């Protein structure tokens, strides 16, 4: 199967569409407001490599260079990415992609990489492959090819090497999804990301598209919500001096006016509604979650959900301190 709509995908389909896209299909199935789309499957990626006769050449490059040497890693990554970018789409794969795109009846889409070893409970591959925003019909195929190539960024190769994943056993799926031109966006954790406290949901929010929050370019607003009641208990205004917005050639970064910087990116009601979504997602997955969201024209969307990997699998440890010496009592 080369392409498959989100509505037919569930989280059991990780080997076919990768962790990110499998999660999108699963979220749709429980009624979450996920922008619709389709997946170009891992089978399509392998078919692309096979039809261009580059699988063996990629393996040879990986074996030839010492991937723990930064300079040699850089050379290997560049050579592999060039092989993929210089290759052509098989005609039947190109037709399948464009047919599904036409069915969506959309002018602009987001093109998002989803690796088959991604977002596992014990390892996070987040941010290692590429995402392209504001993609139109003319640029769709080139962006898909760039996603394929991003499976071999220097960082991704190094991470797999360190974690013991076999490079050629990891494949890449691509999600083609309705583009949300966010008025605000951010991330949400259903466990406190700093302390690991399980009774709170933390929401980070900034103006515009979400990349700058994920990349740490802006300090977002922070909303602290009590999980049991989904009621806001605290909020802190962030330092949001720039935002990412749509442009003719994709996206661009612009400065935010001073008065706008002094406002919160979302309302208290938005934060509480996001918390309700987060609580439902956590319950469904049975695990604390790291969730990306966006707001466009007053409507909230869930863009991605993956297991939180820092605190969720850590054991609770309590330290007991005992005073061994005795002294004179000053106060009781």
């Amino acid at each position: 199967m080369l392409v498959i709509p989100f509505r037919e995908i569930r989280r059991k389909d990780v080997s076919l569409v990768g962790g990110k896209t499998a999660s999108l299909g699963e979220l749709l199935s429980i009624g979450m407001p996920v922008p619709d789309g389709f997946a170009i499957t891992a089978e399509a990626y392998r078919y692309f490599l096979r039809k261009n006769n580059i699988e063996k050449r990629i393996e040879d490059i990986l074996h030839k260079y010492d991937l723990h040497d930064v300079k040699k890693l850089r050379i290997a990554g560049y050579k592999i990415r060039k092989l993929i970018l210089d290759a052509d789409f098989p005609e039947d794969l190109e037709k399948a992609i464009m047919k599904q795109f036409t069915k969506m009846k959309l002018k602009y889409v987001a093109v998002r990489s989803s690796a088959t070893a991604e977002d596992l409970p014990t390892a996070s591959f987040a941010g290692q492959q590429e995402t392209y925003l504001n993609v139109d019909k003319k640029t769709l195929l080139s962006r898909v090819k760039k996603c394929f190539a991003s499976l071999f960024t220097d960082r991704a190769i190094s991470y797999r090497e360190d974690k013991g994943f076999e490079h050629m056993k990891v494949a890449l799926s691509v999600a083609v999804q309705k583009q949300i031109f966010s008025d605000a966006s951010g991330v949400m954790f259903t466990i406190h990301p700093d302390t690991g406290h399980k009774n709170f949901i933390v929401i980070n929010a900034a103006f515009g598209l979400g990349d700058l929050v994920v990349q740490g370019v802006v300090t977002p607003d922070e909303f602290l919500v009590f999980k049991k009641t989904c009621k806001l208990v605290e909020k802190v205004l962030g330092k949001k001096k720039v935002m990412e917005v749509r442009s003719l050639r994709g996206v661009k970064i612009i400065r935010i006016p001073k008065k706008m910087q002094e406002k919160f990116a979302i309302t208290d009601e938005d934060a509480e509604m996001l918390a309700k979504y987060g609580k439902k997602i956590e319950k469904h997955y049975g695990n604390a979650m790291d969730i990306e969201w966006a707001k466009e024209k007053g409507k909230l969307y869930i863009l991605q959900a993956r297991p939180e990997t820092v605190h969720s699998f850590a054991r609770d440890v309590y330290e007991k301190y005992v005073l061994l010496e005795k002294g004179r009592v000053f106060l009781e």
Side-chain angles (χ1 to χ4, degrees):
M1 192 175 291
L2 300 178
V3 297
I4 179 170
F6 284 174
R7 64 181 177 275
E8 296 176 19
I9 296 168
R10 294 294 181 270
R11 59 176 160 169
K12 62 178 173 56
D13 297 318
V14 171
S15 62
L16 183 65
V17 298
K20 185 185 296 178
T21 312
S23 183
L24 291 173
E26 188 73 20
L27 291 168
L28 270 173
S29 76
I30 61 168
M32 289 296 105
V34 174
D36 204 7
F38 66 94
I40 300 165
T41 66
E43 285 180 20
Y45 162 80
R46 290 191 174 99
Y47 179 60
F48 173 88
L49 296 186
R50 195 165 60 249
K51 291 292 278 187
N52 282 282
N53 296 312
I54 56 177
E55 283 178 303
K56 180 70 167 60
R57 292 162 74 185
I58 291 171
E59 282 188 78
D60 290 343
I61 292 169
L62 289 168
H63 290 137
K64 180 180 178 182
Y65 292 94
D66 177 2
L67 301 177
H68 295 285
D69 181 313
V70 175
K71 287 183 180 178
K72 290 176 181 176
L73 170 67
R74 195 173 295 142
I75 294 168
Y78 171 77
K79 286 188 172 185
I80 294 170
R81 293 192 299 274
K82 191 172 188 308
L83 275 178
I84 294 170
L85 293 173
D86 288 346
D88 295 318
F89 273 97
E91 189 177 341
D92 52 346
L93 176 56
E94 182 176 332
K95 282 182 178 178
I97 293 169
M98 298 314 296
K99 182 181 178 181
Q100 202 66 43
F101 177 83
T102 304
K103 277 185 181 179
M104 290 175 71
K105 297 180 180 177
L106 293 173
K107 193 170 182 182
Y108 297 102
V109 292
V111 177
R112 312 172 72 190
S113 303
S114 182
T116 57
E118 183 180 64
D119 299 341
L120 301 175
T122 54
S124 176
F125 289 68
Q128 291 186 19
Q129 281 81 48
E130 296 296 336
T131 289
Y132 296 95
L133 305 176
N134 201 24
V135 177
D136 60 13
K137 187 176 182 178
K138 285 183 180 178
T139 56
L140 176 62
L141 292 174
S142 68
R143 296 296 183 265
V144 171
K145 199 189 289 186
K146 283 185 176 183
C147 283
F148 284 169
S150 74
L151 188 60
F152 293 96
T153 62
D154 300 349
R155 181 185 167 198
I157 295 170
S158 179
Y159 189 82
R160 288 195 298 271
E161 194 75 8
D162 290 343
K163 290 287 183 181
F165 287 91
E166 290 186 41
H167 297 285
M168 299 311 292
K169 284 191 177 179
V170 178
L172 193 102
S173 170
V174 178
V176 179
Q177 187 175 27
K178 177 186 175 182
Q179 175 67 63
I180 301 299
F181 294 112
S182 320
D183 302 311
S185 55
V187 293
M188 167 169 54
F189 300 92
T190 64
I191 189 172
H192 198 295
D194 297 327
T195 66
H197 203 305
K198 297 175 182 178
N199 291 338
F200 291 98
I201 290 173
V202 176
I203 299 164
N204 292 332
F207 293 114
L209 300 171
D211 277 359
L212 300 188
V213 175
V214 176
Q215 293 167 14
V217 176
V218 299
T219 303
D221 302 331
E222 185 171 285
F223 296 82
L224 187 67
V225 181
F226 186 52
K227 192 185 291 182
K228 187 176 180 180
T229 60
C230 288
K231 291 296 181 184
L232 182 67
V233 294
E234 184 181 71
K235 61 180 178 179
V236 179
L237 189 69
K239 292 181 180 178
K240 311 179 296 294
K241 294 184 178 180
V242 294
M243 65 178 176
E244 191 176 51
V245 297
R246 172 186 176 187
S247 72
L248 289 174
R249 294 186 177 181
V251 295
K252 63 181 179 180
I253 296 173
I254 63 169
R255 288 196 65 80
I256 297 174
K258 186 71 176 173
K259 280 191 176 181
M260 193 173 170
Q261 288 181 36
E262 294 167 359
K263 294 180 179 179
F264 285 92
I266 58 173
T267 65
D268 295 357
E269 290 77 18
D270 288 334
E272 290 175 353
M273 179 55 74
L274 282 169
K276 288 176 183 175
Y277 290 149
K279 187 176 176 180
K280 185 174 181 180
I281 292 167
E282 181 184 77
K283 184 179 179 183
H284 182 74
Y285 279 80
N287 190 77
M289 302 296 286
D290 170 357
I291 299 162
E292 291 179 27
W293 60 270
K295 182 181 181 183
E296 180 192 54
K297 297 177 181 176
K299 184 175 179 181
L300 294 167
Y301 292 92
I302 299 298
L303 304 181
Q304 187 178 336
R306 55 180 169 256
E308 192 276 343
T309 56
V310 177
H311 297 289
S312 305
F313 296 89
R315 293 172 60 190
D316 290 330
V317 177
Y318 298 92
E319 292 186 28
K320 184 178 180 180
Y321 294 89
V322 178
L323 189 64
L324 298 176
E325 298 174 357
K326 289 188 177 181
R328 184 163 60 90
V329 176
F330 288 104
L331 184 70
E332 286 186 358

